[in-house]
């Protein structure tokens, strides 16, 4: 079975909209990292389960953090702009089971 089989099962909706992060949680023993726990999107609260991936990207002097989070039904990709302290919901992906 090829990797394309797995990629075809995901439906992506591109959002690219600033959102409010209502709460964070912290992970790590000696080097704490913060992750979004709850966001408000379209006047609804979305609460993430406590697992996620965090990526740091640097473009010149600007550092952007990407987060892949899940609420158990959908996957969400968010970005945090540390320079402007803004959160952006980039996309929502629904996995078909």
């Amino acid at each position: 079975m090829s990797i394309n089989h797995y990629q075809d099962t995901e439906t992506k909706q591109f959002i690219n909209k600033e959102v409010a992060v209502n709460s964070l949680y912290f992970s790590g023993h000696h080097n704490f990292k913060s992750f979004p726990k709850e966001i408000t999107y379209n006047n609804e609260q979305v609460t993430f389960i406590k697992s996620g991936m965090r990526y740091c990207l640097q473009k010149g002097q600007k550092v952007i953090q990407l987060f892949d989070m899940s609420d158990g039904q959908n996957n969400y990709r968010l970005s945090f702009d540390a320079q402007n302290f803004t959160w952006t919901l980039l996309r929502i992906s629904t996995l078909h089971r």
Side-chain angles (χ1 to χ4, degrees):
M1 194 177 295
S2 72
I3 193 162
N4 292 334
H5 172 77
Y6 295 105
Q7 291 173 345
D8 291 341
T9 63
E10 189 173 314
T11 304
K12 296 177 185 174
Q13 178 185 5
F14 294 94
I15 309 294
N16 201 31
K17 182 177 176 184
E18 193 170 314
V19 294
V21 172
N22 305 328
S23 61
L24 299 168
Y25 74 90
F26 299 91
S27 179
H29 295 287
H30 300 291
N31 187 11
F32 287 113
K33 293 181 171 76
S34 60
F35 290 84
K37 183 176 181 178
E38 183 182 87
I39 64 170
T40 299
Y41 171 64
N42 282 346
N43 295 320
E44 292 186 24
Q45 275 70 35
V46 177
T47 302
F48 301 122
I49 57 176
K50 277 199 172 187
S51 70
M53 296 292 293
R54 179 178 174 255
Y55 316 91
C56 291
L57 303 173
Q58 185 170 354
K59 269 188 154 180
Q61 298 295 322
K62 193 172 189 173
V63 175
I64 301 288
Q65 297 177 51
L66 295 177
F67 295 85
D68 288 337
M69 308 299 296
S70 177
D71 66 357
Q73 297 176 2
N74 297 307
N75 293 325
Y76 299 80
R77 174 159 290 172
L78 296 118
S79 69
F80 177 66
D81 181 342
Q83 189 174 11
N84 297 313
F85 297 102
T86 56
W87 288 89
T88 303
L89 176 59
L90 301 174
R91 74 174 187 227
I92 301 173
S93 302
T94 304
L95 293 175
H96 302 287
R97 297 174 192 224

